[in-house]
Amino acid sequence: MIEIDPISLLVTADTDLSVATLEDKVAAEGYTLNYFALPDNRALLAEALSRRLPNLYAAAFGGIEDLCLQLKLAQAGGALYANVKTPRSAAGPGLKKMAIGSGEWLGLPIQATLRIFPKPAHRECRAYAFAQERDLEAFEKSLLKLRWPLPLRARLASEEAMQVLEGMSLLDRAAAFSWWGPESWMRSYGEALEDLALGKQGRALGFKSGRDETDLDALLRRAAIAQAEERSERRLQELPESHRALASFLKEGA
C-alpha cells in the first residue's frame, strides 16, 4: 500500500517494499525520498527502519529517523502502536526514534510515513580520480571546510562499476559527487568543484547528468576504455619501427 499526500509532502507505505521500489513509485509522481539506504538501496523499508540504515544524503537531509514522520509497530502481543503525525508536545525520549534502529526490540515496523521532496529538474553526477589516496582525503577535507550544502558524496553504483575501478587501480583513489538545484547555478557549482579537484591533483573521469548515481556506470566504463586505448598506443610507440607498422595494421583490422 502506498499513499502520497501532495499537500503535506508525505508518503505512507507498507514496509514490505524495498526502498528502491518506493523511490521509483514516488519518482513516477514527481517526488523523491532523498533517502538512499546504504549500501545498495535494495533493503526493505522494514530493515532500513529496524536497523537504521545510513542515508547516502544524510549530510543534507538527515537519516531515516529524521525523514520518518510516523511509524506503525506490531508488538509481540499483537498490539499495534503508531505515533501521531504532529510535532511533539512534550520533552523526553520519543518512542518513534527509540524504535528506529532498535532491531525490532520495540516491535516490527509494518507501516511508515516518510517525508518526500519535489524531484529536482536538474541534477549532475561527476567522478574524480586522484594521484594518491591522500590527495582524495585532502579534497574531501577542503569540501568540509567550505561547508557547501552540496555536493553530496555519490555512490559508484554497481558491482560492475567497482570492477572497472579495480581494473584501473583507482578503487581507493576515486570519488563521485552528486548535486542538484536551479539550472542557473548548476554550471558554476560544477566549475568550482572541478577547480578544487584539480588543485588536489585530481582529474575528472567525466560526468553525466541523470536522476541517480547508476549513470556513473557508463561513465566509468568509458574512462576505462579510454585508458586502455592510451596504454595500447603507448606500447605501440615503444615497439621497434619494423614491428610498428604490422602492429598498427593488426590493431586497425581488429
Side-chain angles (χ1 to χ4, degrees):
M1 185 276 292
I2 297 177
E3 292 181 0
I4 294 176
D5 181 350
I7 305 299
S8 301
L9 290 178
L10 299 172
V11 60
T12 299
D14 293 337
T15 59
D16 56 353
L17 287 172
S18 71
V19 178
T21 299
L22 182 57
E23 174 66 31
D24 289 341
K25 296 289 186 183
V26 299
E29 301 298 324
Y31 302 101
T32 177
L33 298 172
N34 278 327
Y35 177 64
F36 187 101
L38 293 171
D40 55 17
N41 213 35
R42 296 177 184 173
L44 294 179
L45 184 56
E47 181 186 3
L49 290 161
S50 62
R51 294 178 55 197
R52 195 181 294 176
L53 293 180
N55 181 14
L56 180 66
Y57 308 130
F61 302 104
I64 185 70
E65 68 276 14
D66 303 303
L67 295 170
C68 179
L69 190 65
Q70 184 183 54
L71 182 63
K72 183 181 285 187
L73 299 168
Q75 297 176 328
L80 297 178
Y81 164 81
N83 64 294
V84 295
K85 297 181 188 177
T86 57
R88 296 185 60 205
S89 58
L95 189 57
K96 182 202 71 175
K97 284 200 173 183
M98 289 174 61
I100 295 174
S102 69
E104 301 177 10
W105 183 67
L106 293 177
L108 174 68
I110 59 172
Q111 193 178 85
T113 298
L114 305 174
R115 302 181 192 278
I116 54 176
F117 303 81
K119 192 164 59 174
H122 305 283
R123 183 169 185 166
E124 285 199 28
C125 296
R126 198 168 297 191
Y128 296 95
F130 293 84
Q132 299 184 49
E133 194 173 347
R134 66 168 179 262
D135 296 324
L136 171 58
E137 292 174 358
F139 173 72
E140 291 178 327
K141 287 178 181 177
S142 297
L143 278 180
L144 289 174
K145 287 180 181 178
L146 290 171
R147 296 188 177 181
W148 289 352
L150 295 170
L152 297 173
R153 189 69 178 260
R155 184 172 176 274
L156 300 179
S158 71
E159 184 178 344
E160 183 178 3
M162 301 308 288
Q163 290 172 351
V164 170
L165 281 175
E166 287 176 348
M168 296 169 69
S169 301
L170 292 174
L171 190 56
D172 297 323
R173 297 184 286 113
F177 296 88
S178 175
W179 68 96
W180 53 91
E183 189 175 13
S184 57
W185 60 267
M186 287 286 287
R187 181 176 298 178
S188 58
Y189 209 103
E191 290 173 353
L193 187 66
E194 186 94 0
D195 290 342
L196 186 61
L198 291 174
K200 302 298 180 183
Q201 308 300 313
R203 60 185 176 88
L205 293 177
F207 68 93
K208 181 179 176 68
S209 298
R211 182 174 64 83
D212 59 42
E213 284 63 48
T214 56
D215 291 335
L216 288 166
D217 294 353
L219 177 157
L220 292 169
R221 281 196 293 272
R222 289 198 301 273
I225 291 169
Q227 188 180 66
E229 289 178 347
E230 181 182 343
R231 188 164 55 245
S232 174
E233 185 63 28
R234 189 166 56 248
R235 288 175 178 171
L236 181 64
Q237 297 303 319
E238 293 172 355
L239 290 173
E241 189 172 351
S242 57
H243 294 68
R244 201 177 302 162
L246 176 60
S248 297
F249 173 77
L250 293 173
K251 181 181 177 183
E252 290 173 4

